[in-house]
Amino acid sequence: QDEDAEERARILEDMAQLKKLAVDYMHPELPVKTTDAFACGRNYFTRPSAPQDEDAEERARILEDMAQLKKLAVDYMHPELPVKTTDAFACGRNYFTRPSAPQDEDAEERARILEDMAQLKKLAVDYLHPELPVKTTDAFAYGRNYFTRPSAEDDEEEAERQLILEDMAQLKKLAVDYLHPELPVKTTDAFAYGRNYFTR
């Protein structure tokens, strides 16, 4: 029993060491962990005795060119991005509105077309959304109801319509009282009272 326990412990210890080596190999970005507060290390590639890298300058130039190309590609693909500069006195002007720009003969026609489109859009919105309020900049503008104006024609069926609506309201109230007996009784008489039918 003791021999098997020691063998098992040795096997588990070896497996733990193998796992640590595998993690160190697969994840070189992880920091080195140590319990020695005085342990130190140096960079293998920047040590004084390291051989001189003849391609270091060439590599630096290539990386700089790649950075410039990336910047140009971003500027080309994203013209909406603002221009970034460290010069506080840098300024620019619009290419199309510069004084020396050629006159655009179609500018007035384009402006008229855009104005017509804006008016058509407004009419379409007013037609499709009659529930929207009327917007005006005239503080003294006012309006009246077309159906209730003094010169409107008398509706002979108005009284009949009112009677029908009143009957429908009463029927709705009765239906609600019947379907929802749990609702409290509402009254406007402050002196009204009642008693329980079952406990009278």
Side-chain angles (χ1 to χ4, degrees), residues 11-27:
I11 292 173
L12 291 175
E13 185 178 356
D14 291 341
M15 291 176 65
Q17 293 293 332
L18 290 173
K19 179 181 177 182
K20 183 177 182 300
L21 289 175
V23 170
D24 294 339
Y25 180 79
M26 294 297 295
H27 297 281

PDB file of all heavy atoms in Angstrom, residues 11-27:
ATOM      1  N   ILE A  11       3.955  10.010  -9.781  1.00  0.00           N
ATOM      2  CA  ILE A  11       3.319  10.157 -11.104  1.00  0.00           C
ATOM      3  C   ILE A  11       2.544  11.475 -11.189  1.00  0.00           C
ATOM      4  O   ILE A  11       2.623  12.208 -12.181  1.00  0.00           O
ATOM      5  CB  ILE A  11       2.383   8.960 -11.366  1.00  0.00           C
ATOM      6  CG1 ILE A  11       3.211   7.673 -11.534  1.00  0.00           C
ATOM      7  CG2 ILE A  11       1.524   9.211 -12.606  1.00  0.00           C
ATOM      8  CD1 ILE A  11       2.379   6.407 -11.627  1.00  0.00           C
ATOM      9  N   LEU A  12       1.802  11.804 -10.127  1.00  0.00           N
ATOM     10  CA  LEU A  12       1.044  13.052 -10.126  1.00  0.00           C
ATOM     11  C   LEU A  12       1.969  14.265 -10.165  1.00  0.00           C
ATOM     12  O   LEU A  12       1.683  15.272 -10.841  1.00  0.00           O
ATOM     13  CB  LEU A  12       0.143  13.114  -8.889  1.00  0.00           C
ATOM     14  CG  LEU A  12      -1.023  12.111  -8.867  1.00  0.00           C
ATOM     15  CD1 LEU A  12      -1.765  12.201  -7.541  1.00  0.00           C
ATOM     16  CD2 LEU A  12      -1.978  12.366 -10.038  1.00  0.00           C
ATOM     17  N   GLU A  13       3.107  14.173  -9.477  1.00  0.00           N
ATOM     18  CA  GLU A  13       4.068  15.276  -9.496  1.00  0.00           C
ATOM     19  C   GLU A  13       4.654  15.461 -10.894  1.00  0.00           C
ATOM     20  O   GLU A  13       4.794  16.592 -11.389  1.00  0.00           O
ATOM     21  CB  GLU A  13       5.174  15.013  -8.482  1.00  0.00           C
ATOM     22  CG  GLU A  13       6.153  16.170  -8.358  1.00  0.00           C
ATOM     23  CD  GLU A  13       7.209  15.894  -7.303  1.00  0.00           C
ATOM     24  OE1 GLU A  13       7.118  14.850  -6.631  1.00  0.00           O
ATOM     25  OE2 GLU A  13       8.116  16.742  -7.160  1.00  0.00           O
ATOM     26  N   ASP A  14       4.980  14.329 -11.554  1.00  0.00           N
ATOM     27  CA  ASP A  14       5.487  14.423 -12.932  1.00  0.00           C
ATOM     28  C   ASP A  14       4.442  15.019 -13.863  1.00  0.00           C
ATOM     29  O   ASP A  14       4.755  15.830 -14.756  1.00  0.00           O
ATOM     30  CB  ASP A  14       5.903  13.033 -13.424  1.00  0.00           C
ATOM     31  CG  ASP A  14       7.131  12.506 -12.707  1.00  0.00           C
ATOM     32  OD1 ASP A  14       7.859  13.331 -12.108  1.00  0.00           O
ATOM     33  OD2 ASP A  14       7.352  11.281 -12.728  1.00  0.00           O
ATOM     34  N   MET A  15       3.186  14.632 -13.698  1.00  0.00           N
ATOM     35  CA  MET A  15       2.127  15.172 -14.551  1.00  0.00           C
ATOM     36  C   MET A  15       1.959  16.678 -14.326  1.00  0.00           C
ATOM     37  O   MET A  15       1.738  17.446 -15.277  1.00  0.00           O
ATOM     38  CB  MET A  15       0.804  14.458 -14.271  1.00  0.00           C
ATOM     39  CG  MET A  15       0.793  12.997 -14.722  1.00  0.00           C
ATOM     40  SD  MET A  15      -0.740  12.157 -14.285  1.00  0.00           S
ATOM     41  CE  MET A  15      -1.913  13.049 -15.271  1.00  0.00           C
ATOM     42  N   ALA A  16       2.081  17.120 -13.074  1.00  0.00           N
ATOM     43  CA  ALA A  16       1.974  18.547 -12.786  1.00  0.00           C
ATOM     44  C   ALA A  16       3.100  19.324 -13.461  1.00  0.00           C
ATOM     45  O   ALA A  16       2.888  20.407 -14.034  1.00  0.00           O
ATOM     46  CB  ALA A  16       1.973  18.791 -11.279  1.00  0.00           C
ATOM     47  N   GLN A  17       4.323  18.756 -13.437  1.00  0.00           N
ATOM     48  CA  GLN A  17       5.451  19.413 -14.090  1.00  0.00           C
ATOM     49  C   GLN A  17       5.256  19.463 -15.605  1.00  0.00           C
ATOM     50  O   GLN A  17       5.537  20.479 -16.253  1.00  0.00           O
ATOM     51  CB  GLN A  17       6.756  18.672 -13.735  1.00  0.00           C
ATOM     52  CG  GLN A  17       7.156  18.771 -12.271  1.00  0.00           C
ATOM     53  CD  GLN A  17       7.542  20.179 -11.880  1.00  0.00           C
ATOM     54  OE1 GLN A  17       8.010  20.955 -12.717  1.00  0.00           O
ATOM     55  NE2 GLN A  17       7.324  20.517 -10.616  1.00  0.00           N
ATOM     56  N   LEU A  18       4.772  18.350 -16.172  1.00  0.00           N
ATOM     57  CA  LEU A  18       4.528  18.333 -17.624  1.00  0.00           C
ATOM     58  C   LEU A  18       3.460  19.347 -18.017  1.00  0.00           C
ATOM     59  O   LEU A  18       3.548  20.016 -19.058  1.00  0.00           O
ATOM     60  CB  LEU A  18       4.128  16.924 -18.060  1.00  0.00           C
ATOM     61  CG  LEU A  18       5.245  15.870 -18.004  1.00  0.00           C
ATOM     62  CD1 LEU A  18       4.668  14.481 -18.286  1.00  0.00           C
ATOM     63  CD2 LEU A  18       6.335  16.204 -19.033  1.00  0.00           C
ATOM     64  N   LYS A  19       2.425  19.456 -17.189  1.00  0.00           N
ATOM     65  CA  LYS A  19       1.372  20.442 -17.482  1.00  0.00           C
ATOM     66  C   LYS A  19       1.935  21.856 -17.440  1.00  0.00           C
ATOM     67  O   LYS A  19       1.620  22.697 -18.299  1.00  0.00           O
ATOM     68  CB  LYS A  19       0.235  20.303 -16.462  1.00  0.00           C
ATOM     69  CG  LYS A  19      -0.880  21.307 -16.673  1.00  0.00           C
ATOM     70  CD  LYS A  19      -1.978  21.159 -15.634  1.00  0.00           C
ATOM     71  CE  LYS A  19      -3.046  22.230 -15.844  1.00  0.00           C
ATOM     72  NZ  LYS A  19      -4.110  22.135 -14.820  1.00  0.00           N
ATOM     73  N   LYS A  20       2.803  22.154 -16.449  1.00  0.00           N
ATOM     74  CA  LYS A  20       3.396  23.481 -16.357  1.00  0.00           C
ATOM     75  C   LYS A  20       4.250  23.777 -17.585  1.00  0.00           C
ATOM     76  O   LYS A  20       4.205  24.877 -18.148  1.00  0.00           O
ATOM     77  CB  LYS A  20       4.242  23.572 -15.091  1.00  0.00           C
ATOM     78  CG  LYS A  20       4.853  24.940 -14.863  1.00  0.00           C
ATOM     79  CD  LYS A  20       5.623  24.987 -13.562  1.00  0.00           C
ATOM     80  CE  LYS A  20       6.179  26.379 -13.339  1.00  0.00           C
ATOM     81  NZ  LYS A  20       7.096  26.818 -14.395  1.00  0.00           N
ATOM     82  N   LEU A  21       5.025  22.793 -18.036  1.00  0.00           N
ATOM     83  CA  LEU A  21       5.836  23.002 -19.235  1.00  0.00           C
ATOM     84  C   LEU A  21       4.965  23.238 -20.463  1.00  0.00           C
ATOM     85  O   LEU A  21       5.269  24.080 -21.312  1.00  0.00           O
ATOM     86  CB  LEU A  21       6.754  21.788 -19.447  1.00  0.00           C
ATOM     87  CG  LEU A  21       7.904  21.624 -18.449  1.00  0.00           C
ATOM     88  CD1 LEU A  21       8.647  20.319 -18.703  1.00  0.00           C
ATOM     89  CD2 LEU A  21       8.858  22.805 -18.552  1.00  0.00           C
ATOM     90  N   ALA A  22       3.873  22.471 -20.567  1.00  0.00           N
ATOM     91  CA  ALA A  22       2.979  22.633 -21.709  1.00  0.00           C
ATOM     92  C   ALA A  22       2.344  24.025 -21.711  1.00  0.00           C
ATOM     93  O   ALA A  22       2.225  24.682 -22.758  1.00  0.00           O
ATOM     94  CB  ALA A  22       1.894  21.555 -21.684  1.00  0.00           C
ATOM     95  N   VAL A  23       1.939  24.524 -20.539  1.00  0.00           N
ATOM     96  CA  VAL A  23       1.345  25.863 -20.452  1.00  0.00           C
ATOM     97  C   VAL A  23       2.382  26.924 -20.811  1.00  0.00           C
ATOM     98  O   VAL A  23       2.096  27.876 -21.551  1.00  0.00           O
ATOM     99  CB  VAL A  23       0.772  26.099 -19.035  1.00  0.00           C
ATOM    100  CG1 VAL A  23       0.380  27.562 -18.851  1.00  0.00           C
ATOM    101  CG2 VAL A  23      -0.432  25.201 -18.802  1.00  0.00           C
ATOM    102  N   ASP A  24       3.615  26.773 -20.305  1.00  0.00           N
ATOM    103  CA  ASP A  24       4.666  27.742 -20.635  1.00  0.00           C
ATOM    104  C   ASP A  24       4.972  27.751 -22.128  1.00  0.00           C
ATOM    105  O   ASP A  24       5.269  28.816 -22.700  1.00  0.00           O
ATOM    106  CB  ASP A  24       5.947  27.413 -19.844  1.00  0.00           C
ATOM    107  CG  ASP A  24       5.759  27.607 -18.341  1.00  0.00           C
ATOM    108  OD1 ASP A  24       4.828  28.349 -17.969  1.00  0.00           O
ATOM    109  OD2 ASP A  24       6.536  27.030 -17.562  1.00  0.00           O
ATOM    110  N   TYR A  25       4.868  26.600 -22.773  1.00  0.00           N
ATOM    111  CA  TYR A  25       5.169  26.530 -24.207  1.00  0.00           C
ATOM    112  C   TYR A  25       4.033  27.126 -25.034  1.00  0.00           C
ATOM    113  O   TYR A  25       4.262  27.832 -26.021  1.00  0.00           O
ATOM    114  CB  TYR A  25       5.411  25.070 -24.604  1.00  0.00           C
ATOM    115  CG  TYR A  25       5.732  24.890 -26.063  1.00  0.00           C
ATOM    116  CD1 TYR A  25       7.001  25.158 -26.561  1.00  0.00           C
ATOM    117  CD2 TYR A  25       4.753  24.464 -26.963  1.00  0.00           C
ATOM    118  CE1 TYR A  25       7.291  25.003 -27.900  1.00  0.00           C
ATOM    119  CE2 TYR A  25       5.035  24.304 -28.306  1.00  0.00           C
ATOM    120  CZ  TYR A  25       6.301  24.575 -28.770  1.00  0.00           C
ATOM    121  OH  TYR A  25       6.585  24.422 -30.102  1.00  0.00           O
ATOM    122  N   MET A  26       2.791  26.820 -24.642  1.00  0.00           N
ATOM    123  CA  MET A  26       1.644  27.266 -25.431  1.00  0.00           C
ATOM    124  C   MET A  26       1.289  28.724 -25.171  1.00  0.00           C
ATOM    125  O   MET A  26       0.659  29.372 -26.011  1.00  0.00           O
ATOM    126  CB  MET A  26       0.417  26.388 -25.113  1.00  0.00           C
ATOM    127  CG  MET A  26       0.567  24.943 -25.545  1.00  0.00           C
ATOM    128  SD  MET A  26       0.744  24.761 -27.335  1.00  0.00           S
ATOM    129  CE  MET A  26      -0.858  25.334 -27.875  1.00  0.00           C
ATOM    130  N   HIS A  27       1.708  29.269 -24.029  1.00  0.00           N
ATOM    131  CA  HIS A  27       1.351  30.650 -23.677  1.00  0.00           C
ATOM    132  C   HIS A  27       2.605  31.423 -23.289  1.00  0.00           C
ATOM    133  O   HIS A  27       2.843  31.710 -22.099  1.00  0.00           O
ATOM    134  CB  HIS A  27       0.335  30.665 -22.519  1.00  0.00           C
ATOM    135  CG  HIS A  27      -0.961  30.011 -22.870  1.00  0.00           C
ATOM    136  ND1 HIS A  27      -1.934  30.635 -23.622  1.00  0.00           N
ATOM    137  CD2 HIS A  27      -1.444  28.767 -22.602  1.00  0.00           C
ATOM    138  CE1 HIS A  27      -2.969  29.821 -23.772  1.00  0.00           C
ATOM    139  NE2 HIS A  27      -2.692  28.682 -23.180  1.00  0.00           N
TER     140      HIS A  27
END
